[in-house]
Amino acid sequence: MAHDPMRTVIIGIETRDQAKARIQSALTSKPIGSFLSFISVDLMWKTLTPKRWEIIRVMTGAGPLSIREVARRVKRDVKAVHSDITALIKAGIINKTDEGKVEFPYDRVHVDFEIKAA
């Protein structure tokens, strides 16, 4: 069985028009990876709080995990972790498996955005 290359997701900020252009470009050329896009830095930070970043960190490359196992790895209460995971699922960042586990299907995360002068 061949080893899959490392799966990287790029998390960034882009307008709807930029996202459409990137998707259109991917249809005519070789895709360059997976993207999770937010329309503003504020929305990204509201969604990806420090505690949720910690959840993503422990889930990166880990495969499917139970919520209880994620809570154990981040040393937090199961109920609180469940709430954060539900928010990450709704945002399309974490997947729920058919077996009821949760998965962040990437081995690496690259965050890409810039701040410009006003």
Side-chain angles (χ1 to χ4, degrees), residues 11-117:
I11 298 175
I13 310 301
E14 60 186 2
T15 65
R16 290 184 201 280
D17 288 341
Q18 290 169 324
K20 280 186 197 176
R22 179 179 45 74
I23 291 166
Q24 190 63 38
S25 175
L27 296 174
T28 59
S29 63
K30 183 180 177 196
I32 57 171
S34 296
F35 289 83
L36 295 173
S37 299
F38 293 89
I39 59 170
S40 70
V41 174
D42 289 342
L43 181 59
M44 183 177 75
W45 292 137
K46 182 179 176 186
T47 304
L48 298 175
T49 64
K51 290 185 180 195
R52 292 177 187 163
W53 270 115
E54 181 65 9
I55 288 170
I56 290 168
R57 187 187 69 74
V58 302
M59 292 184 71
T60 300
L65 299 169
S66 68
I67 292 175
R68 185 171 300 284
E69 177 59 18
V70 175
R72 186 189 69 74
R73 291 181 182 201
V74 296
K75 299 176 175 67
R76 290 179 53 212
D77 175 74
V78 173
K79 187 175 178 181
V81 169
H82 183 274
S83 176
D84 281 336
I85 285 179
T86 299
L88 292 169
I89 289 169
K90 285 182 181 178
I93 297 167
I94 289 177
N95 302 323
K96 192 164 192 169
T97 69
D98 293 339
E99 297 79 30
K101 293 189 175 190
V102 291
E103 180 179 30
F104 182 68
Y106 304 102
D107 300 314
R108 291 185 351 188
V109 176
H110 175 89
V111 179
D112 184 30
F113 68 92
E114 52 182 46
I115 297 173
K116 297 179 185 177

